[in-house]
Amino acid sequence: MVTATPDARPRGTRLPRLARRRQLLGAAQEVFVAQGYHAAAMDEIAERAGVSKPVLYQHFPGKLELYLALLDEHAEALVRTVRDALESTTDNKQRVQAVIAAFYDFVAGEGEAYRLVFESDLRNVAPVRARVERTNQQCAEMIAQVIAEDTDAPPDEAHLLGMSLVGMAEVSARYWLSQHRAIPKDTAEKLIARLAWRGISGFPRTS
């Protein structure tokens, strides 16, 4: 369990609003990742950030709003990373590897932000579930668009393939991390990319 006292920031420093918001989100992420949503307390988040509880509530009206702000930030970062991966090359084999790498990079990132997106203890809460589903759909739709443009796969099939690649990347990356990175990250990415490419490359290109 994380305790706020040793790592709490000193109080009394005035910050611009955006910098203060960034500070509060950083403190909240530490507490949410360590304890989960339900065990996290706004008092502890405020103390960890080095602010009073009223200051925390000036920026976020409640714990759920604070959590959703963090979730939105990291979900959007994942979508951007996948988009950048798809746009990084026109070679589809390399695209598959880049998408797999995007998920491994996200899961291996500092601060364990992936837990907020993929391992939240709020997955059954409607606004959280909706955001996670939207993130997966956005990633799958981007992949599906490339598949549909380059093959004869109908839109529904292309979307299913896109969602399958997202699921393969996410689940394998989380499993890889849970095994304490027993396989080097680059090796793991290439292994899963090879598996995915052997399936997707079976669809004939339209041009």
Side-chain angles (χ1 to χ4, degrees):
M1 298 287 286
V2 172
T3 55
T5 304
D7 299 322
R9 281 71 167 177
R11 293 176 183 256
T13 303
R14 294 184 63 86
L15 294 174
R17 183 171 182 83
L18 289 179
R20 178 68 76 192
R21 178 182 172 88
R22 169 55 41 207
Q23 179 193 37
L24 296 175
L25 287 172
Q29 180 171 325
E30 293 173 6
V31 176
F32 284 137
V33 165
Q35 301 185 14
Y37 176 84
H38 294 293
M42 293 291 271
D43 286 331
E44 183 173 0
I45 294 170
E47 185 175 354
R48 182 169 288 272
V51 302
S52 65
K53 196 172 176 181
V55 169
L56 178 57
Y57 278 111
Q58 286 175 8
H59 292 262
F60 302 99
K63 187 166 72 167
L64 180 59
E65 289 78 9
L66 178 53
Y67 189 90
L68 292 176
L70 269 173
L71 179 57
D72 284 340
E73 179 179 276
H74 292 302
E76 290 166 5
L78 175 59
V79 171
R80 284 196 306 271
T81 301
V82 172
R83 181 182 296 111
D84 290 344
L86 289 168
E87 294 176 351
S88 65
T89 178
T90 57
D91 182 286
N92 285 330
K93 183 177 181 180
Q94 292 179 15
R95 275 176 171 155
V96 169
Q97 185 164 337
V99 168
I100 299 294
F103 278 86
Y104 275 73
D105 288 344
F106 182 71
V107 167
E110 292 184 8
E112 298 183 273
Y114 79 96
R115 295 188 183 277
L116 302 173
V117 181
F118 298 134
E119 298 180 1
S120 172
D121 54 352
L122 283 185
R123 288 292 290 266
N124 291 326
V125 174
V128 173
R129 183 174 63 250
R131 282 165 167 79
V132 173
E133 290 177 353
R134 183 174 66 236
T135 300
N136 287 334
Q137 288 287 349
Q138 287 177 324
C139 292
E141 286 169 4
M142 290 187 292
I143 297 167
Q145 183 176 353
V146 174
I147 293 173
E149 288 173 353
D150 286 358
T151 73
D152 289 324
D156 288 345
E157 292 184 8
H159 188 79
L160 180 58
L161 289 169
M163 187 60 75
S164 298
L165 183 58
V166 167
M168 182 186 298
E170 175 205 329
V171 172
S172 68
R174 289 168 55 200
Y175 177 77
W176 166 78
L177 192 64
S178 75
Q179 299 304 299
H180 309 292
R181 311 181 191 219
I183 300 174
K185 179 170 172 287
D186 183 62
T187 301
E189 292 169 357
K190 289 179 179 177
L191 185 67
I192 301 304
R194 189 185 312 155
L195 173 64
W197 176 244
R198 285 182 176 178
I200 293 175
S201 63
F203 290 83
R205 294 199 60 166
T206 54
S207 60

